[in-house]
Amino acid sequence: MLRDLGVPEEQIKIESFASPSRAKTTEAAAPSDQRNGAVDHAADKAAGSLRFARSERLITDLGGKTILEIAEQQGIPLPYDCRAGICGQCKTKLVSGMVTMDAEDALEPIDRANGVILACQARCRDDVVVDA
Ligand code: FES
């Protein structure tokens, strides 16, 4: 609304607040893993593995943790702030594989189209590779 009124971008400040609720879980797939632009909602699969491509690290014991939690355990620095899916500081490129996210308020449609996920929310559904 402020943009529509002509307020300069540098004068627009956004403040978000998080609650710990987990009302829904959504899925995301890397663009190369999407079929006809749709995310595969097939039956749940056990989590597979997580590879941090730039850090050259492969994790096979995921323990139901988020990608951010696993990165922290492995000493791989990923930015974060809210840990609730709101701020977007933890946006990470999903190179391949599928994840589920309990919240994804910080993702814009262009993020979803480009396979960007929120590391603080994303849990692996299969063999996942992220650009981190
Ligand atoms: S740390 Fe805020 S959205 Fe992930």
Side-chain angles (χ1 to χ4, degrees):
M1 182 176 78
L2 293 173
R3 290 182 186 104
D4 290 344
L5 293 171
V7 175
E9 195 70 34
E10 64 274 7
Q11 292 184 354
I12 300 174
K13 308 295 182 211
I14 298 172
E15 188 170 1
S16 300
F17 300 91
S19 70
S21 66
R22 303 234 183 254
K24 62 174 184 162
T25 297
T26 57
E27 299 173 317
S32 61
D33 290 331
Q34 294 179 3
R35 295 168 192 90
N36 300 321
V39 173
D40 181 8
H41 292 277
D44 288 339
K45 292 190 249 177
S49 64
L50 171 60
R51 187 160 67 89
F52 293 93
R54 280 187 282 128
S55 302
E56 299 180 350
R57 199 83 56 86
L58 174 66
I59 315 303
T60 55
D61 181 12
L62 304 177
K65 293 182 172 64
T66 66
I67 290 174
L68 176 60
E69 291 167 335
I70 294 168
E72 289 173 330
Q73 283 182 336
Q74 296 297 316
I76 298 169
L78 288 183
Y80 69 91
D81 192 359
C82 71
R83 303 181 82 103
I86 293 175
C87 72
Q89 289 295 308
C90 66
K91 286 182 182 178
T92 303
K93 173 79 174 169
L94 180 63
V95 178
S96 65
M98 293 187 68
V99 299
T100 58
M101 291 182 282
D102 292 335
E104 55 178 24
D105 296 347
L107 293 179
E108 301 291 334
I110 188 72
D111 294 326
R112 292 183 182 93
N114 290 322
V116 173
I117 59 171
L118 299 173
C120 73
Q121 299 296 304
R123 290 180 168 80
C124 301
R125 281 196 58 188
D126 58 10
D127 296 330
V128 167
V129 179
V130 293
D131 184 28

